[in-house]
């Protein structure tokens, strides 16, 4: 299990990747919620905001980040990302019965014994931020990230974000 200090360091790494994403010309959004889960029971170790999250979006993004990771965990080792079980028309637990469904989206990935998820950006950007975060944390190799990007339908943000993070280091 990660210590409190390790969880904070992981959040700092995710924040640094998000900061680089926000400098890309094609970026959309300003922040969101980052969640770490671990083990077979998908124990939640951390859920925190990163970047700037509008007050009226905080609950939605937090619930979506939690939902993405939990849903990916249900698929055991058969899915590498929540994009594989996305359903944009689905109403999720915790959402009001009023208004449009929030949907089930991509943005969570499996990396070693962990599930990292993010919500607040476009879903493929959420996913790319998590993939690059996992690489920076040593949870996956760059080649694994490339293969994951292919398995999830070629993430349009992954390569640009990865190389931008490498240049910024």
């Amino acid at each position: 299990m990660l210590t409190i200090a390790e969880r904070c360091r992981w959040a700092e790494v995710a924040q640094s990747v998000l900061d680089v994403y926000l400098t890309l010309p094609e970026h959309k959004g300003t922040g969101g919620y980052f969640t770490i889960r671990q083990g077979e029971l998908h124990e939640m170790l951390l859920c925190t905001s990163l970047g700037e999250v509008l007050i009226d979006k905080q609950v939605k993004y937090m619930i979506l980040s939690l939902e993405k990771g939990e849903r990916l965990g249900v698929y055991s080792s058969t899915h590498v990302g929540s994009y594989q079980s996305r359903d944009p028309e689905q109403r999720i637990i915790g959402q009001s019965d009023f208004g449009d469904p929030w949907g089930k989206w991509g943005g969570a990935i499996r990396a070693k014994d962990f599930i990292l998820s993010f919500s607040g950006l476009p879903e493929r950007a959420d996913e790319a931020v998590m993939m690059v975060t996992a690489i920076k944390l040593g949870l996956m190799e760059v080649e694994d990230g490339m293969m994951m990007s292919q398995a999830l339908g070629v993430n349009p943000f992954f390569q640009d974000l990865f190389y931008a993070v490498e240049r910024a280091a």
Side-chain angles (χ1 to χ4, degrees):
M1 175 160 321
L2 297 176
T3 66
I4 298 293
E6 290 169 321
R7 296 173 204 197
C8 290
R9 186 180 69 78
W10 284 30
E12 288 172 357
V13 170
Q15 179 68 61
S16 70
V17 173
L18 173 64
D19 289 343
V20 173
Y21 166 78
L22 295 175
T23 68
L24 298 178
E26 65 274 14
H27 90 274
K28 291 183 180 164
T30 58
Y33 276 81
F34 170 56
T35 305
I36 304 169
R37 293 179 180 273
Q38 182 179 22
E40 289 181 20
L41 300 176
H42 327 298
E43 179 181 355
M44 186 174 53
L45 304 181
L46 179 74
C47 183
T48 189
S49 63
L50 300 179
E52 295 179 23
V53 183
L54 296 174
I55 195 137
D56 63 326
K57 299 288 188 181
Q58 289 177 349
V59 170
K60 177 180 181 179
Y61 292 164
M62 181 180 65
I63 289 173
L64 288 172
S65 181
L66 293 168
E67 185 279 329
K68 291 173 183 185
E70 183 63 25
R71 177 168 33 96
L72 179 56
V74 168
Y75 285 94
S76 166
S77 61
T78 61
H79 286 189
V80 295
S82 61
Y83 190 81
Q84 293 169 289
S85 60
R86 70 192 293 273
D87 183 352
E89 302 303 317
Q90 182 70 40
R91 192 169 295 278
I92 65 171
I93 294 172
Q95 178 185 1
S96 159
D97 288 336
F98 303 103
D100 293 331
W102 289 347
K104 294 184 176 184
W105 301 97
I109 62 150
R110 190 179 306 281
K112 291 193 177 176
D113 190 36
F114 297 94
I115 293 175
L116 307 180
S117 58
F118 192 82
S119 186
L121 309 172
E123 72 177 315
R124 300 315 296 265
D126 287 343
E127 182 180 84
V129 168
M130 292 297 91
M131 289 166 44
V132 175
T133 297
I135 291 167
K136 297 308 285 180
L137 290 170
L139 298 175
M140 71 169 65
E141 299 296 324
V142 177
E143 296 77 23
D144 298 328
M146 298 285 188
M147 289 183 348
M148 182 179 285
S149 177
Q150 297 294 321
L152 298 173
V154 186
N155 184 299
F157 296 100
F158 173 70
Q159 280 191 321
D160 288 347
L161 179 59
F162 173 75
Y163 291 120
V165 166
E166 287 297 297
R167 284 191 301 274

